[in-house]
Amino acid sequence: DAEHGGRGQVGPGPAAQTATRRNMRIALPWVMTACLASGAFSQSLDNTLDIALGTAGLNTASARFEPTTLGFFTQPRTPSVTYSQAMSQPWRLPFAMAAHRDLIGQANDRPADVLAASTRLLGDVIRRSLLGNPIDAAEKAASRPGALATVLDRLRREGLISGNVPSVANLPEPVRQRAALLLTVLADTAPLRRATFSGVANIESLYGRTRTADPDGYDAERTVRTLRDLRQVEMNFLFAGSQDVALAVSTVRARLLGVDASEKFSWRVTTSWGDIILNGGDDHRYEGGNVLLLIDTGGNDVYLGYPSNRSVSNWASVVIDMRGNDRYLSDADLANRPVRQDPQRQQATGWGPARANLGISMLFDAMGDDVYRTTSPGLASAELGVAYLSDGGGNDLYDAYTNSLAF
């Protein structure tokens, strides 16, 4: 809806408002057409919008969203910067969105830059690479001989590994080096994640509320607890850490292309943050337990609910699959049927692939004809977290039911 009248002027009466609203219904299709086709005209988009709005007796200076109506769609304490600016200057929105679209389009194969551009929409302008490479020290450490054994020893000294660590000698050298880089960056990022939620009194309770659907009916106590916790969360720390992890993944993905897809190896160790799994040369089925880092260099694999933050301690979950026709599912039954045919889709529990809860979840598939299917939140879906899904190529299928596909 729109207000007709200049700043400080009394708006039109009911009859004029009715006529204006009727005319706006006619004008809006013209406005949308003008926004989409403005590149074909030499005149500015402002002039184009003025012409379109003129059919309702309005222009970009006088037409505004009606503030009383907008009050129904925002929380006064928590409006995003994008929402506030868009509502105050709605006719500048095409320019703003075009700028964000161009930034993300130019950074298509650079996930850290995509994340940096995305945080601008939330008002947290963070670009870790602005003053140099934030993971330079980690890259140098990972290039040294025995880097993987060194970082695993670091995790043991920090109390994150308690059992025996299998020998890494039989792993391909590129896999050893790239796993060392990612694990080093994840270890360096952990303090940023702790800082994100350091003000929350009970992080386990907050995690549980992000994992479970709202109860039937209105639960005032639950709402108050959640709003109180949200005011204590500092997402800028997690946004910064996610960019570091994404930078590391970009380097790892490029280097792992040199590993022969048929070379067989299998290695696994358990940490307090989740399992570290390095496999190649065979078909695998991944299910059960928490995953911190999973690298698979070849084979047609099945991932049930990975990557995802399956507990408060499993704050990071990264999956990199280099080759094969893979299936990323929330449930094994979805392997051979679409989501719409799942009779339990409305009661789905568990985790969808690439789902983040109070942490970081990243899925990178380099190539192959893949299936992404989930009845649970997933496919780059996050709640107080950062989720990222990238597929490098192939004839892929994306099929989801709720709170998914970049939700």
Side-chain angles (χ1 to χ4, degrees), residues 1-2 4 14-30 53 55-58:
D1 211 343
H4 186 191
Q17 287 181 350
T18 301
T20 297
R21 289 168 183 166
R22 187 184 305 115
N23 289 337
M24 279 299 293
R25 296 190 188 101
I26 300 172
L28 283 176
W30 284 93
L53 289 168
T55 63
L58 300 169

Side-chain angles (χ1 to χ4, degrees), residues 124 126 128 189-198 232-244 360 386:
D124 294 299
I126 299 169
R128 293 282 284 174
T189 301
L192 294 175
R193 193 269 187 165
R194 288 195 293 270
T196 302
F197 301 100
S198 61
Q232 303 302 317
V233 175
E234 298 290 345
M235 287 298 294
N236 53 325
F237 291 111
L238 195 65
F239 291 156
S242 68
Q243 291 181 35
D244 290 359
I360 298 170
V386 178

Side-chain angles (χ1 to χ4, degrees), residues 99-322:
H100 286 297
R101 181 188 61 210
D102 291 344
L103 280 173
I104 293 174
Q106 293 166 9
N108 183 44
D109 199 39
R110 301 190 305 276
D113 289 346
V114 171
L115 290 173
S118 300
T119 59
R120 295 179 61 178
L121 293 170
L122 302 175
D124 294 299
V125 184
I126 299 169
R127 186 178 176 187
R128 293 282 284 174
S129 59
L130 185 62
L131 299 179
N133 182 3
I135 63 169
D136 180 66
E139 289 181 338
K140 291 177 179 176
S143 66
R144 300 185 186 114
L148 180 55
T150 299
V151 69
L152 290 171
D153 183 62
R154 172 185 173 180
L155 298 180
R156 178 189 290 279
R157 286 186 280 107
E158 293 180 2
L160 299 170
I161 298 178
S162 58
N164 294 326
V165 177
S167 171
V168 299
N170 293 329
L171 295 173
E173 179 59 23
V175 174
R176 292 202 300 268
Q177 285 191 348
R178 298 313 110 195
L181 172 59
L182 272 168
L183 291 173
T184 300
V185 171
L186 286 168
D188 293 343
T189 301
L192 294 175
R193 193 269 187 165
R194 288 195 293 270
T196 302
F197 301 100
S198 61
V200 176
N202 188 334
I203 192 172
E204 291 281 356
S205 174
L206 178 59
Y207 176 86
R209 276 174 271 139
T210 69
R211 282 279 303 116
T212 57
D214 291 335
D216 294 335
Y218 179 66
D219 188 333
E221 183 180 353
R222 175 184 172 123
T223 300
V224 169
R225 288 201 310 269
T226 300
L227 290 174
R228 184 172 57 240
D229 286 341
L230 289 177
R231 289 193 286 272
Q232 303 302 317
V233 175
E234 298 290 345
M235 287 298 294
N236 53 325
F237 291 111
L238 195 65
F239 291 156
S242 68
Q243 291 181 35
D244 290 359
V245 176
L247 276 171
V249 170
S250 295
T251 302
V252 168
R253 186 174 49 177
R255 300 292 177 85
L256 289 179
L257 286 172
V259 178
D260 189 340
S262 63
E263 184 172 358
K264 293 188 177 183
F265 58 92
S266 182
W267 188 92
R268 185 171 191 153
V269 70
T270 296
T271 80
S272 299
W273 292 342
D275 289 357
I276 304 168
I277 305 171
L278 308 174
N279 285 333
D282 210 344
D283 299 342
H284 294 92
R285 182 185 179 94
Y286 300 106
E287 60 182 324
N290 300 336
V291 166
L292 172 63
L293 172 63
L294 196 164
I295 296 176
D296 192 297
T297 59
N300 301 321
D301 309 304
V302 176
Y303 299 83
L304 298 182
Y306 295 118
S308 57
N309 306 128
R310 297 189 167 213
S311 66
V312 170
S313 60
N314 182 212
W315 64 272
S317 186
V318 179
V319 169
I320 302 174
D321 190 291
M322 297 306 299

Side-chain angles (χ1 to χ4, degrees), residues 33-62:
T33 302
C35 291
L36 294 173
S38 60
F41 297 93
S42 60
Q43 61 190 9
S44 71
L45 184 56
D46 281 339
N47 291 337
T48 306
L49 289 170
D50 280 334
I51 293 171
L53 289 168
T55 63
L58 300 169
N59 56 46
T60 54
S62 62

Side-chain angles (χ1 to χ4, degrees), residues 78-99:
T78 58
S80 70
V81 172
T82 301
Y83 176 90
S84 299
Q85 293 184 350
M87 294 304 101
S88 64
Q89 291 289 337
W91 310 114
R92 306 301 295 175
L93 192 58
F95 291 98
M97 293 301 101

